Amino acid sequence: MMSEKAQIGVTGLAVMGRNLARNFARHGHTVALHNRSYGRTKELVEEFGHEGKFIPSESAADFVASLERPRRVVIMVKAGGPTDAVIDEFAPLLEPGDMLIDAGNAHYLDTRRREAALKEKGLHFVGAGVSGGEEGALHGPSIMPGGPKESYDALGPLLEDIAAKVDGEPCCVHVGPDGAGHFVKMVHNGIEYADMQLIAEAYDLLRQVGGSSPAEIAGIFQGWNEGRLGSYLIEITAEVLKQVDASTGKPFVDIVLDQAEQKGTGRWTVQAALDLGVPVSGIAESVFARALSGGADVRKAAADAALPGPSPENKHAGDLQADVEQALFASKIVAYAQGFQQIQAASKEYGWAIDPGAMAKIWRAGCIIRAKFLDFIKQAYDKQPELATLLVDEYFLDAVSGAQDAWRRVVATAAQQGIPAPGFASALAYYDGLRAKRLPAALIQGQRDFFGAHTYHRIDKPGSFHTLWAAEGRPEVDA
């Protein structure tokens, strides 16, 4: 055992926790280690002890005793019950001013609950979103810590030390109080769902309509990665499409079962958006697309019934590759616009005062959705912090305006040829919904008033009104 105290401790040493601990140690911080089974703690020290200073402990009490004040305990266990169990184990061992940092993918409402409960005991609870996977955890993630501002004063320098850097600036910032950090991480994951779905649709169109092979499409994506679509997800898509299965010699993508799985953060994003009344249709469609892909029984029933498709005679009227690139870029803009609008709505609802430009800034490296155009998102919010939607910013307005003809051709081709492209189609529908001078919602309000006396507002005078539909002449009355 080392006589010195650790600056930070990590409990839960599966892949993410282990790599975060190693990252802290590599940056010169003494790290206390704890795991439910001591064997995993011992393995980490034996295998990676040369990377820095570690203080392993078998018991929670020894682990806490090995930390300097204020104690900083990073929790890296499964969300939900396991996280609550760890909090219940460690909270009685801590003193006022100490902090528990949940760096897992917790639901933001759980984080709000935990923060409020621990505050009563004088403890600080920090819900910190960490993006970048196991490689990011080790080499530099994007970190989105919430919780008390005082906690960040003591914790922030350590997190900024291990975070990814862009031009020397850390991809880490205090997001806001209580659940703000985990909320932003949740929306990050929702955008990630949409981004992945759009990329998959682009691949599908290039293959089914354009007749290109996976290897050829990999080359197309590599080219796109050099331009405005440059991003981590575009980069790895090219690598996946280049891969050949060793046992069959077939393209790797052709031997993978076409049933996408999910861990729940995309679904949480949609549920939260419904509660906030924010239309994140692109993210929702990506979640539903995964659900559809996993519905093996329903898909088999449809296949057995031989549901008819369209005539194969329809051809794409344009340069397919160029049009798909335009549609992909425009649809990605919509997905990010919807995600940032949701963050702004939650910030207002919960009084978090989140800076959307700062979120774009810390997503430029380390995280899964890192992309070149995040610089333009940051610039947009720097110019106008209360920007209603990214789509009205000059850069993004020009981009979608220039893309819309190609975007419409791609959506039309997908429909004509029976290729599911819910991401592209919903993004375009959202764009057209925003630009419409008048929506058919007026008719819906009329229907609601007819069957439920829900009232409506008029365009020519203030107040709420109800039409007496059952009365002769159907007079209108003030509601």
Side-chain angles (χ1 to χ4, degrees):
M1 293 290 293
M2 304 179 69
S3 59
E4 68 178 295
K5 296 283 188 178
Q7 284 83 55
I8 195 160
V10 179
T11 180
L13 301 176
V15 176
M16 285 292 290
R18 179 185 65 189
N19 282 2
L20 276 178
R22 291 172 60 196
N23 194 349
F24 281 118
R26 286 178 170 190
H27 282 82
H29 304 292
T30 301
V31 185
L33 302 174
H34 175 266
N35 194 70
R36 186 169 55 86
S37 58
Y38 183 66
R40 183 168 282 174
T41 307
K42 187 178 178 181
E43 287 174 7
L44 190 158
V45 175
E46 289 175 349
E47 190 172 355
F48 303 108
H50 63 280
E51 294 183 342
K53 296 178 181 178
F54 297 104
I55 303 178
S57 297
E58 290 193 57
S59 71
D62 287 345
F63 172 74
V64 169
S66 70
L67 291 163
E68 68 179 23
R69 296 289 313 278
R71 301 181 181 95
R72 309 169 186 89
V73 177
V74 177
I75 301 169
M76 284 301 297
V77 300
K78 289 183 179 179
T83 299
D84 282 323
V86 171
I87 292 171
D88 290 343
E89 180 181 12
F90 280 93
L93 303 174
L94 299 175
E95 299 175 79
D98 291 346
M99 63 191 77
L100 286 164
I101 303 108
D102 179 8
N105 274 333
H107 195 287
Y108 75 100
L109 293 179
D110 285 339
T111 302
R112 299 193 78 208
R113 167 179 59 81
R114 292 163 181 154
E115 197 270 344
L118 290 169
K119 183 186 293 184
E120 293 182 357
K121 301 177 180 180
L123 301 177
H124 293 189
F125 186 72
V126 175
V130 177
S131 179
E134 58 185 84
E135 286 299 306
L138 181 61
H139 299 294
S142 174
I143 309 177
M144 297 148 260
K149 182 62 171 66
E150 314 90 88
S151 297
Y152 194 79
D153 293 339
L155 176 65
L158 280 78
L159 298 182
E160 291 176 10
D161 210 14
I162 69 164
K165 308 291 192 301
V166 176
D167 299 327
E169 294 185 291
C171 292
C172 175
V173 69
H174 181 244
V175 177
D178 55 76
H182 275 147
F183 187 92
V184 166
K185 175 56 165 56
M186 177 191 73
V187 175
H188 164 285
N189 285 22
I191 294 172
E192 179 184 311
Y193 272 55
D195 211 341
M196 293 170 72
Q197 176 65 26
L198 293 168
I199 290 170
E201 291 178 16
Y203 151 76
D204 204 25
L205 286 159
L206 291 170
R207 190 164 189 188
Q208 292 205 55
V209 180
S212 298
S213 69
E216 290 169 335
I217 299 172
I220 293 171
F221 274 86
Q222 284 179 312
W224 287 352
N225 196 49
E226 298 301 316
R228 61 182 184 171
L229 279 170
S231 66
Y232 174 72
L233 285 172
I234 294 289
E235 177 186 345
I236 68 169
T237 298
E239 292 299 316
V240 172
L241 291 174
K242 283 194 298 185
Q243 182 72 16
V244 174
D245 177 55
S247 61
T248 63
K250 295 180 179 179
F252 168 80
V253 72
D254 287 347
I255 59 91
V256 177
L257 186 66
D258 62 336
Q259 295 180 16
E261 299 177 0
Q262 51 185 312
K263 290 188 175 180
T265 47
R267 184 170 63 250
W268 289 351
T269 305
V270 177
Q271 291 169 339
L274 290 171
D275 291 338
L276 292 165
V278 179
V280 293
S281 50
I283 296 171
E285 286 294 350
S286 68
V287 175
F288 295 146
R290 291 197 191 190
L292 189 151
S293 77
D297 293 343
V298 178
R299 291 175 63 193
K300 184 180 184 303
D304 291 344
L307 296 181
S311 166
E313 298 175 358
N314 295 310
K315 303 296 180 184
H316 183 75
D319 181 336
L320 181 68
Q321 182 178 324
D323 283 358
V324 170
E325 190 273 345
Q326 292 271 25
L328 178 56
F329 191 62
S331 299
K332 281 165 69 78
I333 290 171
V334 167
Y336 281 74
Q338 291 178 347
F340 274 88
Q341 184 185 358
Q342 183 174 2
I343 289 172
Q344 288 173 291
S347 181
K348 183 177 180 180
E349 175 72 17
Y350 298 113
W352 286 336
I354 296 174
D355 177 356
M359 299 307 98
K361 180 180 177 180
I362 66 172
W363 288 348
R364 294 179 301 165
C367 72
I368 304 302
I369 64 170
R370 57 186 184 265
K372 290 180 181 178
F373 80 160
L374 281 161
D375 281 321
F376 292 102
I377 295 178
K378 180 183 181 300
Q379 291 169 20
Y381 285 112
D382 284 348
K383 287 185 294 184
Q384 195 173 344
E386 301 300 321
L387 188 67
T389 172
L390 282 172
L391 291 167
V392 300
D393 174 75
E394 183 179 1
Y395 173 80
F396 296 106
L397 178 60
D398 289 346
V400 293
S401 297
Q404 71 162 308
D405 289 342
W407 196 4
R408 296 182 192 284
R409 285 194 294 269
V410 167
V411 171
T413 293
Q416 289 170 344
Q417 299 205 21
I419 298 170
F424 286 154
S426 68
L428 181 59
Y430 176 84
Y431 171 76
D432 281 337
L434 287 184
R435 53 174 290 278
K437 292 183 178 179
R438 187 162 170 81
L439 292 168
L443 177 57
I444 294 171
Q445 277 303 102
Q447 293 168 332
R448 295 181 72 245
D449 189 61
F450 191 104
F451 66 68
H454 292 298
T455 76
Y456 52 88
H457 297 284
R458 295 178 58 94
I459 64 171
D460 54 355
K461 54 185 175 182
S464 295
F465 300 90
H466 168 55
T467 293
L468 303 177
W469 296 98
E472 184 178 349
R474 295 179 174 175
E476 180 181 77
V477 296
D478 291 332

